[in-house]
Amino acid sequence: MHAFKRSDLDHLPTVVDIPTAARVLGLSRSYAYVLAKEGRFPCPLIRAGAAYRVPTAALLAVLGEERPRSVTDSTA
């Protein structure tokens, strides 16, 4: 697995799984799951059955990044 570059962040989907979020944050997969189960993950999580999903916007906010606006985004 590779470390994420800024250009990689631009291509993330709206939500990602815990292993992807862990790579973005520089955490091990197992530690990320421990944090999620203990309610201490660094950003809000969505629980879908037994799976966790991480909203990309929240993940980027933790990093101090912002998803670039697309041409179709409203300016209002």
Side-chain angles (χ1 to χ4, degrees):
M1 292 204 190
H2 71 285
F4 269 81
K5 298 176 190 163
R6 178 62 181 106
S7 60
D8 295 331
L9 296 176
D10 293 339
H11 300 288
L12 290 174
T14 304
V15 295
V16 296
D17 58 12
I18 289 281
T20 301
R23 283 184 24 230
V24 169
L25 294 171
L27 303 172
S28 73
R29 181 181 182 271
S30 58
Y31 186 58
Y33 276 108
V34 167
L35 292 175
K37 289 177 184 173
E38 293 178 352
R40 298 186 309 124
F41 200 78
C43 58
L45 299 172
I46 299 169
R47 186 77 188 252
Y52 292 99
R53 296 292 179 253
V54 181
T56 299
L59 184 59
L60 294 175
V62 167
L63 296 172
E65 297 284 341
E66 187 175 302
R67 185 180 286 274
R69 294 181 67 128
S70 71
V71 176
T72 59
D73 286 345
S74 170
T75 57

